[in-house]
Amino acid sequence: MGFVAIYARVLGLLQPERRLAVILAVANIGLAGIGFIEPILFGRIIDVLANPTGATPEESWSRTIQLLVIWIAAGSIGILANILVALHADRLAHRRRLAAMALYFEHVMSLPAAFHSGTHSGALLKIMLTGADNLFGLWLSFFREHLSTFVAVLVLLPLSLYLNWRLGLLLIALIIVFALVSAFVVHRTEGAQRQVEDYHSELAARAGDALGNVVLVQSFVRLALEVRDLAVVMERLLKAQFPVLNLWALMTVLSRMASTITIISIFVLGSWLHLHGQTSVGEIVSFMGFATMLISRLEAAMGFVSRMFFQMHSLDQFFSVLDTEAAVRNKPGAAVLSNVKGDVVFDHVTLSYNDARPAVIDLTFEVPAGTKVALVGPTGSGKTSSMALLSRLWDPQSGRILIDGVDIRDVTLESLRQHIGVVFQDSAVFHRTIADNIRIGRPEATDAEVEQAAKLAQAHDFIMRQPQGYATMVGERGVNVSGGERQRLAIARALLKNPPILILDEATSALDAATEARIQQALDTLMQGRTTFIIAHRLATVRQADQILVLNQGRIVERGSFDELVEQGGLFADLVRTQFAGAH
């Protein structure tokens, strides 16, 4: 995305508060006008006091008073405009910064698993925080200072030609020099700065990776190696950054030199014109004041432009994430799924994540409400992918999935997922209280309902042994509870949600036998009266399933009850023999 396109989007984010933005812009125009008027008034007063026309002292004094009144009025308007800008620019920038963060967060959380598996969460967090902070700084400095400078340059500077076209041309030449130097430096450093931002993202990803796996780092004595790897990235970052800084430092020197030459040239040319009767001392003073003010503003504006350049690529990353389209979205006019019984139909469903081998191929089966169905098969056979389709984490390339006869693509994502509960092999928890983690699916649930769900999930007793009971913080990634306890919290969460459709994705495979037995009781309670899909590698856990679907390379190759499939002597029977032989 180009420089102009990025900053057009930066301003576009102000759309919700465009009225205030317009008011601030008008105030800046007023400030730019006053900045132009004041040096002119000062020069006129000098000319009146010098009395080149031979006016009487009374006439000169009267004229001086008139100019001073105009100056005071202009200054008062400038003060009011400054108060307006100072009062509202900060508030606008703070509000829009938080709004941009909220927009980014909501969008990222809606993106599919494939996006998140390919982008580190640390890098995404860095992009959000850096992008939002850069937006804040740009909006604030733009409305506080630099909009009035740009107005002065683009609109009011040409008016200096009317005052004295010869001196005005010198100022315009200065602007051209500023613009050419800036364009040259931006052109030479754009690629390098993009690489610098990539290194910043890599730093955030590596640091986040290490912090998220601190126990692994300590256990395998990797602290020194992780620090060394981080230092290598930092060294590459500095190697890419220093040439950029050198060119921008050179630009600053050249700009300052051009400013000094312009001031001296205005004084020399003005003196020559005055000696030849082509300008007055007041006009020279006006131009010197005007040039000094404009040059100081231009130098500040150059700082703003350089800051914009350094922030451009982080903003490009911010907008690139916002432009990433979600693979699954609500269709226009999608209905709300309600009163679900739990009849599920897969009708010739095919899914491919990419151009390689499809994840599931022509998947067709029916599950009546309240039925327990097990999905088994080798790793990569399509078990988890088929359930991801049921929750619309993906949409199939062909075929359809029906719940109670309704195509799930015709209903809203929120209403669909409200009727599906999932218990994973490694149940995720938030760094919040136990009660908050159980309430994830039903935030409005009462304490009594939370406690009842925990009791049914065989979790109440261990919760009450915690220091603060249900108010105990679980800790980041659930470090304050064991794996079995996390599973029971996940089951309590699903019980409280009370969905008609349930997915158990390897819910007990990582547990020891004693813990698995306790959790199996909770799962039996959870499955009662629900349409349940059981993804399992441990085939002993699927004996009670009403139907078993055996998948291999994305296709259903066998289906039937446990005993029927064993008798068939096919893939399922081979898997059973392998597992039971390994157990002995």
Side-chain angles (χ1 to χ4, degrees), residues 427-490:
S427 292
V429 290
F430 289 115
H431 178 42
R432 299 170 191 171
T433 67
I434 288 175
D436 287 340
N437 273 282
I438 295 175
R439 278 195 180 96
I440 286 174
R442 269 187 64 201
E444 75 283 1
T446 65
D447 291 341
E449 289 172 326
V450 169
E451 186 173 323
Q452 178 62 21
K455 288 178 178 177
L456 292 173
Q458 309 290 318
H460 179 72
D461 291 341
F462 93 76
I463 293 173
M464 295 311 296
R465 290 195 297 269
Q466 300 297 316
Q468 295 175 284
Y470 284 85
T472 300
M473 296 294 291
V474 169
E476 188 176 1
R477 300 178 306 281
V479 295
N480 295 332
V481 292
S482 69
E485 289 167 346
R486 282 200 303 274
Q487 289 298 82
R488 279 176 275 177
L489 290 179

Coordinates of all heavy atoms in Angstrom, one line a residue, residues 427-490:
S427 N -8.2 -28.4 27.0 CA -9.2 -27.4 27.1 C -8.5 -26.0 27.5 O -7.8 -26.0 28.5 CB -10.3 -27.7 28.2 OG -11.0 -28.8 27.7
A428 N -8.8 -25.0 26.7 CA -8.2 -23.7 26.9 C -9.0 -23.0 28.0 O -10.2 -23.2 28.2 CB -8.3 -22.9 25.6
V429 N -8.3 -22.2 28.8 CA -8.9 -21.4 29.9 C -8.3 -20.0 29.8 O -7.2 -19.8 29.3 CB -8.7 -22.0 31.3 CG1 -9.5 -23.3 31.4 CG2 -7.2 -22.3 31.5
F430 N -9.1 -19.1 30.3 CA -8.6 -17.7 30.3 C -8.0 -17.4 31.7 O -8.2 -18.2 32.7 CB -9.8 -16.7 30.2 CG -10.4 -16.7 28.8 CD1 -11.7 -17.1 28.6 CD2 -9.7 -16.2 27.8 CE1 -12.2 -17.0 27.3 CE2 -10.2 -16.1 26.5 CZ -11.5 -16.5 26.3
H431 N -7.1 -16.4 31.7 CA -6.5 -16.0 33.0 C -7.5 -15.2 33.8 O -7.4 -14.0 33.9 CB -5.2 -15.2 32.7 CG -4.6 -14.7 33.9 ND1 -4.4 -15.4 35.1 CD2 -4.0 -13.5 34.2 CE1 -3.7 -14.7 36.0 NE2 -3.5 -13.5 35.5
R432 N -8.6 -15.9 34.2 CA -9.7 -15.3 34.9 C -10.1 -16.2 36.1 O -9.4 -17.2 36.3 CB -10.8 -15.0 34.0 CG -10.5 -14.0 32.9 CD -11.5 -13.9 31.8 NE -11.0 -13.2 30.6 CZ -11.6 -13.1 29.5 NH1 -12.8 -13.6 29.3 NH2 -11.0 -12.5 28.5
T433 N -11.1 -15.9 36.8 CA -11.6 -16.8 37.9 C -12.1 -18.1 37.3 O -12.5 -18.2 36.2 CB -12.6 -16.1 38.7 OG1 -13.8 -15.9 38.0 CG2 -12.1 -14.7 39.2
I434 N -12.2 -19.0 38.2 CA -12.8 -20.3 37.8 C -14.3 -20.1 37.4 O -14.7 -20.6 36.4 CB -12.8 -21.3 39.0 CG1 -11.3 -21.8 39.2 CG2 -13.7 -22.5 38.8 CD1 -11.1 -22.6 40.4
A435 N -15.0 -19.3 38.2 CA -16.4 -19.0 37.8 C -16.5 -18.3 36.4 O -17.4 -18.7 35.6 CB -17.1 -18.1 38.9
D436 N -15.6 -17.4 36.1 CA -15.7 -16.7 34.8 C -15.4 -17.7 33.7 O -16.0 -17.7 32.6 CB -14.6 -15.6 34.8 CG -15.1 -14.4 35.6 OD1 -16.3 -14.3 35.8 OD2 -14.2 -13.6 35.9
N437 N -14.5 -18.7 33.9 CA -14.2 -19.7 32.9 C -15.3 -20.6 32.7 O -15.6 -21.1 31.5 CB -12.9 -20.5 33.3 CG -11.6 -19.8 32.9 OD1 -11.3 -19.9 31.7 ND2 -11.0 -19.1 33.8
I438 N -16.1 -20.9 33.7 CA -17.3 -21.8 33.5 C -18.4 -21.0 32.8 O -19.1 -21.6 32.0 CB -17.8 -22.3 34.9 CG1 -16.7 -23.3 35.5 CG2 -19.1 -23.1 34.7 CD1 -17.0 -23.7 36.9
R439 N -18.4 -19.7 33.0 CA -19.5 -18.9 32.4 C -19.2 -18.5 31.0 O -20.0 -17.8 30.4 CB -19.7 -17.6 33.2 CG -20.5 -17.7 34.5 CD -20.9 -16.3 35.0 NE -21.6 -16.4 36.2 CZ -21.2 -16.2 37.4 NH1 -19.8 -16.1 37.6 NH2 -22.0 -16.3 38.5
I440 N -18.2 -18.9 30.4 CA -17.8 -18.5 29.0 C -18.9 -18.6 28.1 O -19.2 -17.7 27.3 CB -16.5 -19.2 28.5 CG1 -15.3 -18.7 29.3 CG2 -16.4 -19.0 27.0 CD1 -14.1 -19.5 29.0
G441 N -19.7 -19.7 28.1 CA -20.8 -19.9 27.2 C -22.1 -19.2 27.6 O -22.9 -19.0 26.7
R442 N -22.2 -18.9 28.9 CA -23.4 -18.2 29.4 C -23.0 -17.2 30.4 O -23.1 -17.4 31.6 CB -24.3 -19.2 30.0 CG -25.4 -19.8 29.1 CD -26.4 -20.7 29.8 NE -27.1 -19.9 30.8 CZ -27.8 -20.4 31.9 NH1 -27.7 -21.7 32.1 NH2 -28.5 -19.6 32.6
P443 N -22.6 -16.0 30.0 CA -22.1 -15.0 30.9 C -23.2 -14.5 31.9 O -22.8 -14.1 33.0 CB -21.7 -13.8 30.0 CG -21.5 -14.4 28.7 CD -22.5 -15.5 28.6
E444 N -24.4 -14.7 31.6 CA -25.5 -14.2 32.5 C -25.9 -15.3 33.5 O -26.7 -15.0 34.4 CB -26.7 -13.9 31.7 CG -27.5 -15.1 31.1 CD -26.9 -15.7 29.9 OE1 -25.8 -15.3 29.5 OE2 -27.5 -16.7 29.4
A445 N -25.2 -16.4 33.6 CA -25.6 -17.5 34.5 C -25.4 -17.1 35.9 O -24.4 -16.3 36.3 CB -24.8 -18.8 34.2
T446 N -26.3 -17.5 36.8 CA -26.2 -17.2 38.3 C -25.1 -18.0 38.9 O -24.6 -19.0 38.4 CB -27.5 -17.4 39.0 OG1 -27.8 -18.8 38.9 CG2 -28.6 -16.6 38.3
D447 N -24.7 -17.6 40.1 CA -23.7 -18.4 40.9 C -24.2 -19.8 41.2 O -23.5 -20.8 41.1 CB -23.4 -17.7 42.2 CG -22.6 -16.4 42.0 OD1 -22.0 -16.2 40.9 OD2 -22.6 -15.6 42.9
A448 N -25.5 -19.9 41.4 CA -26.1 -21.2 41.7 C -26.0 -22.1 40.5 O -25.8 -23.3 40.6 CB -27.6 -21.1 42.2
E449 N -26.3 -21.6 39.3 CA -26.2 -22.4 38.1 C -24.8 -22.8 37.8 O -24.5 -23.9 37.4 CB -26.8 -21.6 36.9 CG -28.3 -21.4 37.0 CD -28.8 -20.4 35.9 OE1 -28.1 -19.4 35.6 OE2 -29.9 -20.6 35.4
V450 N -23.8 -21.9 38.1 CA -22.4 -22.3 37.9 C -22.0 -23.4 38.8 O -21.4 -24.4 38.4 CB -21.5 -21.0 38.1 CG1 -20.0 -21.4 38.2 CG2 -21.7 -20.0 37.1
E451 N -22.4 -23.3 40.1 CA -22.1 -24.3 41.0 C -22.8 -25.7 40.7 O -22.1 -26.7 40.8 CB -22.6 -23.9 42.4 CG -22.1 -24.8 43.5 CD -22.4 -24.3 44.9 OE1 -22.3 -23.1 45.1 OE2 -22.8 -25.1 45.8
Q452 N -24.0 -25.7 40.2 CA -24.7 -26.9 39.8 C -24.0 -27.6 38.6 O -23.8 -28.8 38.6 CB -26.1 -26.6 39.4 CG -26.9 -27.8 39.0 CD -27.1 -28.9 40.0 OE1 -26.9 -28.6 41.2 NE2 -27.3 -30.1 39.6
A453 N -23.5 -26.8 37.6 CA -22.8 -27.3 36.5 C -21.5 -27.9 37.0 O -21.1 -29.0 36.5 CB -22.5 -26.2 35.5
A454 N -20.8 -27.3 37.9 CA -19.5 -27.8 38.4 C -19.8 -29.1 39.1 O -18.9 -30.1 39.0 CB -18.9 -26.8 39.3
K455 N -20.8 -29.2 39.9 CA -21.1 -30.5 40.6 C -21.4 -31.6 39.6 O -20.9 -32.7 39.8 CB -22.3 -30.3 41.5 CG -22.0 -29.4 42.8 CD -23.3 -29.3 43.6 CE -23.0 -28.4 44.9 NZ -24.2 -28.2 45.7
L456 N -22.2 -31.3 38.6 CA -22.4 -32.4 37.6 C -21.2 -32.8 36.8 O -21.0 -33.9 36.4 CB -23.5 -31.9 36.6 CG -24.9 -31.7 37.1 CD1 -25.8 -31.0 36.0 CD2 -25.5 -33.0 37.5
A457 N -20.2 -31.9 36.7 CA -18.9 -32.1 36.0 C -17.9 -32.7 37.0 O -16.7 -32.8 36.6 CB -18.4 -30.9 35.4
Q458 N -18.3 -33.1 38.2 CA -17.3 -33.6 39.2 C -16.2 -32.6 39.5 O -15.1 -33.0 39.7 CB -16.7 -34.9 38.7 CG -17.7 -35.9 38.2 CD -18.5 -36.6 39.3 OE1 -18.0 -36.9 40.4 NE2 -19.8 -36.8 39.1
A459 N -16.5 -31.3 39.4 CA -15.5 -30.3 39.6 C -15.7 -29.5 40.9 O -14.7 -28.8 41.3 CB -15.5 -29.3 38.4
H460 N -16.8 -29.6 41.5 CA -17.1 -28.7 42.7 C -16.1 -29.0 43.8 O -15.7 -28.0 44.5 CB -18.5 -29.0 43.2 CG -18.9 -28.2 44.4 ND1 -19.1 -26.8 44.3 CD2 -19.1 -28.6 45.7 CE1 -19.5 -26.4 45.5 NE2 -19.4 -27.4 46.4
D461 N -15.8 -30.3 44.1 CA -15.0 -30.6 45.3 C -13.6 -30.0 45.1 O -13.0 -29.3 46.0 CB -14.9 -32.1 45.4 CG -16.2 -32.7 45.9 OD1 -17.0 -31.9 46.4 OD2 -16.4 -33.9 45.7
F462 N -12.9 -30.1 43.9 CA -11.6 -29.5 43.8 C -11.7 -28.0 43.8 O -10.7 -27.4 44.2 CB -10.9 -30.1 42.5 CG -11.0 -29.3 41.3 CD1 -10.3 -28.2 41.1 CD2 -11.9 -29.7 40.3 CE1 -10.4 -27.4 39.9 CE2 -12.0 -29.0 39.1 CZ -11.3 -27.9 38.9
I463 N -12.7 -27.5 43.3 CA -12.9 -26.0 43.3 C -12.9 -25.5 44.7 O -12.3 -24.5 45.0 CB -14.1 -25.6 42.5 CG1 -14.0 -25.9 41.0 CG2 -14.4 -24.1 42.7 CD1 -15.2 -25.6 40.2
M464 N -13.7 -26.1 45.6 CA -13.8 -25.7 46.9 C -12.5 -25.8 47.7 O -12.3 -25.2 48.8 CB -14.9 -26.4 47.6 CG -16.3 -26.2 47.0 SD -16.7 -24.4 46.8 CE -16.6 -23.8 48.5
R465 N -11.6 -26.7 47.2 CA -10.3 -26.8 47.9 C -9.3 -25.7 47.4 O -8.2 -25.5 48.0 CB -9.6 -28.1 47.5 CG -10.3 -29.3 48.2 CD -9.5 -30.6 48.1 NE -9.2 -31.0 46.7 CZ -10.0 -31.9 46.1 NH1 -11.1 -32.4 46.7 NH2 -9.7 -32.2 44.8
Q466 N -9.7 -24.9 46.5 CA -8.9 -23.8 46.0 C -8.9 -22.6 47.1 O -9.8 -22.5 47.8 CB -9.4 -23.2 44.7 CG -9.3 -24.3 43.5 CD -7.9 -24.7 43.2 OE1 -7.0 -23.9 43.1 NE2 -7.7 -26.0 43.1
P467 N -7.9 -21.8 47.1 CA -7.8 -20.7 48.1 C -9.0 -19.9 48.2 O -9.4 -19.5 49.3 CB -6.5 -19.9 47.7 CG -5.7 -20.9 46.9 CD -6.7 -21.8 46.2
Q468 N -9.6 -19.5 47.0 CA -10.7 -18.6 47.0 C -11.9 -19.2 46.3 O -12.8 -18.5 45.9 CB -10.4 -17.3 46.3 CG -9.3 -16.5 47.1 CD -8.9 -15.3 46.3 OE1 -8.2 -15.3 45.3 NE2 -9.4 -14.1 46.7
G469 N -12.0 -20.6 46.3 CA -13.1 -21.2 45.7 C -13.3 -20.8 44.3 O -12.4 -20.8 43.5
Y470 N -14.5 -20.5 43.9 CA -14.9 -20.1 42.6 C -14.3 -18.8 42.1 O -14.2 -18.5 40.9 CB -16.4 -20.1 42.4 CG -17.1 -21.4 42.3 CD1 -17.4 -22.1 43.5 CD2 -17.3 -22.0 41.1 CE1 -18.0 -23.4 43.4 CE2 -17.9 -23.3 41.0 CZ -18.3 -23.9 42.2 OH -18.8 -25.2 42.2
A471 N -13.8 -18.0 43.1 CA -13.1 -16.7 42.7 C -11.6 -16.9 42.5 O -10.9 -15.9 42.3 CB -13.4 -15.7 43.9
T472 N -11.1 -18.1 42.6 CA -9.7 -18.3 42.4 C -9.3 -18.1 40.9 O -10.0 -18.5 40.0 CB -9.3 -19.8 42.8 OG1 -9.7 -20.0 44.1 CG2 -7.8 -20.1 42.6
M473 N -8.2 -17.4 40.8 CA -7.7 -17.1 39.4 C -7.1 -18.4 38.9 O -6.3 -19.1 39.5 CB -6.7 -16.0 39.4 CG -7.2 -14.7 39.8 SD -8.4 -14.0 38.6 CE -7.4 -13.7 37.2
V474 N -7.4 -18.8 37.6 CA -6.9 -20.0 37.0 C -5.5 -19.9 36.6 O -4.7 -20.8 36.6 CB -7.8 -20.4 35.8 CG1 -7.2 -21.5 35.0 CG2 -9.2 -20.8 36.2
G475 N -5.1 -18.6 36.3 CA -3.7 -18.4 35.9 C -3.6 -18.5 34.4 O -4.4 -19.1 33.7
E476 N -2.5 -17.9 33.8 CA -2.3 -17.9 32.4 C -2.1 -19.4 31.9 O -1.3 -20.1 32.5 CB -1.1 -17.1 32.0 CG -0.9 -16.9 30.5 CD 0.2 -16.0 30.2 OE1 0.9 -15.5 31.1 OE2 0.4 -15.7 29.0
R477 N -2.9 -19.7 30.9 CA -2.9 -21.1 30.3 C -3.2 -22.1 31.4 O -2.9 -23.3 31.3 CB -1.5 -21.4 29.7 CG -1.2 -20.5 28.5 CD 0.2 -20.9 27.9 NE 1.2 -20.9 29.0 CZ 1.8 -19.9 29.5 NH1 1.5 -18.6 29.1 NH2 2.8 -20.0 30.4
G478 N -3.9 -21.7 32.4 CA -4.4 -22.7 33.4 C -3.4 -23.3 34.3 O -3.5 -24.4 34.8
V479 N -2.3 -22.5 34.6 CA -1.2 -23.1 35.3 C -1.5 -23.5 36.8 O -0.8 -24.2 37.4 CB 0.0 -22.1 35.4 CG1 0.6 -21.9 33.9 CG2 -0.4 -20.8 36.0
N480 N -2.6 -22.9 37.3 CA -3.0 -23.2 38.7 C -3.9 -24.4 38.9 O -4.3 -24.7 40.0 CB -3.6 -21.9 39.3 CG -2.7 -20.8 39.4 OD1 -1.5 -21.0 39.5 ND2 -3.2 -19.6 39.4
V481 N -4.2 -25.0 37.8 CA -5.1 -26.3 37.9 C -4.4 -27.3 37.0 O -3.7 -27.1 36.1 CB -6.5 -26.0 37.4 CG1 -7.2 -25.1 38.4 CG2 -6.5 -25.4 36.0
S482 N -4.7 -28.6 37.3 CA -4.1 -29.7 36.6 C -4.9 -30.0 35.3 O -6.0 -29.4 35.1 CB -4.2 -31.0 37.5 OG -5.6 -31.4 37.6
G483 N -4.3 -30.9 34.5 CA -5.0 -31.2 33.2 C -6.4 -31.7 33.4 O -7.4 -31.4 32.7
G484 N -6.5 -32.7 34.4 CA -7.8 -33.2 34.6 C -8.8 -32.2 35.2 O -10.0 -32.2 34.8
E485 N -8.3 -31.3 36.0 CA -9.2 -30.2 36.5 C -9.7 -29.3 35.4 O -10.8 -28.8 35.4 CB -8.5 -29.5 37.6 CG -8.3 -30.3 38.9 CD -7.3 -29.7 39.9 OE1 -6.6 -28.8 39.5 OE2 -7.3 -30.2 41.0
R486 N -8.7 -29.0 34.5 CA -9.1 -28.1 33.3 C -10.2 -28.8 32.5 O -11.2 -28.2 32.0 CB -7.9 -27.8 32.4 CG -7.0 -26.8 33.0 CD -6.1 -26.2 31.9 NE -5.3 -27.2 31.2 CZ -4.2 -27.6 31.6 NH1 -3.6 -27.1 32.7 NH2 -3.5 -28.5 30.9
Q487 N -10.1 -30.1 32.3 CA -11.1 -30.9 31.6 C -12.5 -30.8 32.3 O -13.5 -30.6 31.6 CB -10.7 -32.3 31.4 CG -9.5 -32.5 30.4 CD -9.9 -32.1 29.0 OE1 -9.8 -30.9 28.7 NE2 -10.3 -33.0 28.2
R488 N -12.5 -30.9 33.6 CA -13.8 -30.9 34.3 C -14.4 -29.5 34.2 O -15.6 -29.3 34.2 CB -13.6 -31.3 35.7 CG -13.5 -32.9 35.9 CD -13.3 -33.3 37.3 NE -11.8 -33.4 37.5 CZ -11.3 -33.7 38.7 NH1 -12.1 -33.9 39.7 NH2 -10.0 -33.8 38.9
L489 N -13.5 -28.4 34.2 CA -14.0 -27.1 34.0 C -14.6 -26.9 32.7 O -15.6 -26.3 32.5 CB -12.9 -26.1 34.2 CG -12.3 -25.9 35.6 CD1 -11.2 -24.8 35.7 CD2 -13.4 -25.5 36.6
A490 N -14.0 -27.6 31.6 CA -14.5 -27.5 30.3 C -15.8 -28.2 30.2 O -16.8 -27.7 29.5 CB -13.5 -28.1 29.3

